[in-house]
Amino acid sequence: MNSASCGLLPRRTVEAVKALADETAAGGRGGAGSFEAVEAARAGFARLVGVGPDRVAGSSVAVHAGLIAASLPPGAEVLAPEGEFSSVVSPFALRGDLRMRYVPLADLTGAVRPGTALVAFSVVQSADGRVTGLDAVRAAAAAHGARTLADASQAAGWFPLDAGAYDCTVTGGFKFLLCPRGASFLTVTEEAQSALPPVFAGWVAAEDPWNSTYGPVERLAATARRFDEPPAFLACHGAEHSLALLAEIGTDALYAHATGLAARFREGLAAIGHSAVPGESAIVAVPGLGGREPDLAAAGVMVSARAGNLRAAFHLYNTEADVARAPEVLG
């Protein structure tokens, strides 16, 4: 019950990664991977979050956040929730010349003000599974001319998400997207693409990559691919198949399954005297109970301890038996 930390790899994903590793060991694949798999992963993620593949780039959450941080002028105000995940806020905070402002998540909408340049937040909070009031935050940002950066790492894969509703989204793939580590996705609206400097550009970001391997890139890709980093081929070969599996099941079915199990888990915890953070989230956090994580691990129940909370997360492979097991151990 630990997809918020790391999702389980589907069999088809494991087979794809093993096949590439075997081919590379035998010297059978030039460049140790396939750019077709990279494009298939890009397209697969785009389908899940409701945008076109031309808006999607690949690298890592911190690198993508750093790219967005580099686009802001000195003195710009960045608004974020208190306790936000480090990779979302550190690139802005460590720049040193931006004005960081943190407020409780519940106050985020009302804290957007004239002069706020960017609102950076997670769709679903890592520490406790709370879901941000997305419509209200977007409306407040639009009213004050602020851009939005949404981290969907704890949401994409079970939560219905329209990435096109935000200027930028960043998503680590190894959690609810069930991808190998190394797969991560940035989405950028066409307007936001024009504002981002290609500070990490290499040959793969060129319009014609194979004729851009020496000397400065003369022409960057016309799409969000201009923000690509060199692909982690093993991760991308696996991501293609993980994302295809999620698409076959469908986000609506995943949402109903995961949140249904989470709701019954909250009920089971309440029955033994433990109050979880309320809400309709696939992630369930119990304040003050993080110290019991080793007890659950010893009983074969994988959860996390985060910010003092005991954190469980439900996904497509979890069952009613999982829901019942943890309260039995805790009781």
Side-chain angles (χ1 to χ4, degrees):
M1 306 193 300
N2 203 21
S3 293
S5 292
C6 190
L8 302 183
L9 295 180
R11 282 191 294 271
R12 65 179 75 176
T13 300
V14 174
E15 290 166 0
V17 172
K18 285 181 176 178
L20 176 57
D22 288 341
E23 291 176 23
T24 305
R29 187 183 287 271
S34 162
F35 278 96
E36 287 76 13
V38 176
E39 294 308 314
R42 190 193 313 275
F45 179 75
R47 281 193 300 272
L48 279 178
V49 299
V51 299
D54 285 356
R55 287 191 178 187
V56 179
S59 180
S60 76
V61 167
V63 168
H64 289 148
L67 178 70
I68 297 162
S71 73
L72 298 177
E77 179 181 277
V78 178
L79 175 66
E82 294 175 350
E84 183 55 77
F85 194 75
S86 176
S87 295
V88 180
V89 294
S90 293
F92 301 96
L94 296 178
R95 230 189 78 166
D97 61 351
L98 300 176
R99 291 183 293 123
M100 299 298 300
R101 189 158 61 96
Y102 304 97
V103 298
L105 180 65
D107 299 336
L108 188 63
T109 298
V112 185
R113 62 191 183 186
T116 300
L118 180 75
V119 186
F121 59 94
S122 291
V123 176
V124 177
Q125 287 291 305
S126 171
D128 57 20
R130 286 178 297 162
V131 179
T132 300
L134 301 174
D135 292 342
V137 171
R138 286 198 305 270
H144 293 290
R147 292 190 182 274
T148 49
L149 165 60
D151 179 2
S153 297
Q154 298 290 8
W158 69 269
F159 186 87
L161 180 68
D162 175 14
Y166 309 91
D167 294 289
C168 303
T169 71
V170 291
T171 307
F174 65 93
K175 300 177 186 291
F176 290 93
L177 292 179
L178 311 182
C179 298
R181 276 185 177 267
S184 187
F185 303 95
L186 166 72
T187 72
V188 200
T189 63
E190 283 80 1
E191 181 183 1
Q193 285 180 34
S194 65
L196 297 187
V199 292
F200 305 121
W203 68 278
V204 297
E207 183 66 32
D208 183 6
W210 291 110
N211 287 312
S212 303
T213 52
Y214 302 104
V217 171
E218 295 183 0
R219 188 159 60 100
L220 290 168
T223 67
R225 189 172 60 76
R226 65 171 51 202
F227 306 118
D228 272 11
E229 292 288 290
F233 280 123
L234 287 167
C236 291
H237 275 243
E240 172 187 359
H241 298 278
S242 293
L243 296 169
L245 171 62
L246 294 174
E248 290 166 16
I249 298 169
T251 303
D252 290 344
L254 289 166
Y255 179 86
H257 177 72
T259 58
L261 291 178
R264 289 190 283 281
F265 185 61
R266 290 185 180 90
E267 293 170 0
L269 291 168
I272 58 172
H274 296 298
S275 297
V277 173
E280 295 183 4
S281 175
I283 300 174
V284 180
V286 190
L289 211 61
R292 296 296 304 276
E293 184 271 335
D295 299 333
L296 288 163
V301 180
M302 297 297 105
V303 294
S304 301
R306 292 291 186 274
N309 301 320
L310 184 72
R311 186 186 70 180
F314 296 90
H315 205 5
L316 64 91
Y317 34 70
N318 291 118
T319 68
E320 294 285 354
D322 297 335
V323 171
R325 179 64 178 139
E328 288 177 0
V329 177
L330 293 172

